[in-house]
C-alpha cells in the first residue's frame, strides 16, 4: 500500500509513503493478538470497532443511494431498514427485492429518493 503525490503509480519518485514490506497477513495478526490476550489474561474485544466499521459501510451505502452526506449520528438515528422483513425470510420466501412489471429491478435514485434506498 502506498500514497502518491502524482497520478503515475509506476514512478517511484511520486511515492511519498509506502507500507513496510513485506506486509504482514492481517488474519495472522488478528490471531496473534487474540492468542496473546488469552495467554496474558488481557481484555480483548473487537465488538465496538467491528460495529462502528459496519455502521460506516451503511453510511456509505446510504450516502451513495440518496445523494446526501450521511453523518454517524444521522445513521444511528435513521429509521430506514436496509433489509425489511429479513427476520421472517425463509428458504421458501420470495426474493427480498423483486423486479417490477417491466421486468426491471428498482435502482437507487440519488437526490430524488432521499429517505430510502429505492
Amino acid at each position: 500500500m502506498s500514497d502518491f503525490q502524482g497520478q503515475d503509480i509506476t514512478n517511484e519518485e511520486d511515492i511519498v509513503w509506502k507500507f513496510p514490506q513485506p506486509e504482514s497477513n492481517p488474519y495472522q495478526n488478528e490471531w496473534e493478538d487474540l492468542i496473546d490476550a488469552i495467554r496474558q489474561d488481557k481484555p480483548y474485544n473487537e465488538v465496538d470497532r467491528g460495529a462502528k466499521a459496519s455502521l460506516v459501510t451503511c453510511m456509505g451505502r446510504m450516502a451513495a443511494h440518496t445523494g446526501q452526506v450521511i453523518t454517524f449520528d444521522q445513521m444511528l438515528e435513521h429509521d430506514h431498514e436496509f433489509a425489511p422483513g429479513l427476520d421472517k425470510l425463509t428458504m421458501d420466501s420470495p426474493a427480498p427485492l423483486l423486479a417490477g412489471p417491466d421486468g426491471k429491478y428498482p435502482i437507487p435514485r440519488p437526490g430524488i429518493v432521499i429517505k430510502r434506498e429505492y
Side-chain angles (χ1 to χ4, degrees), residues 10-65:
T10 62
N11 183 357
E12 289 287 324
E13 293 176 10
D14 281 348
I15 297 176
V16 293
W17 178 85
K18 190 173 187 177
F19 196 84
Q21 298 297 319
E23 290 186 46
S24 57
N25 181 323
Y27 302 108
Q28 184 65 40
N29 295 344
E30 183 80 14
W31 180 252
E32 289 172 6
D33 291 345
L34 174 62
I35 296 302
D36 180 61
I38 292 169
R39 288 178 175 159
Q40 303 296 323
D41 196 27
K42 296 188 296 190
Y44 185 78
N45 189 335
E46 294 288 324
V47 172
D48 186 62
R49 187 177 66 90
K52 287 177 180 173
S54 182
L55 183 74
V56 169
T57 65
C58 290
M59 289 168 58
R61 178 175 167 175
M62 192 64 145
H65 288 198

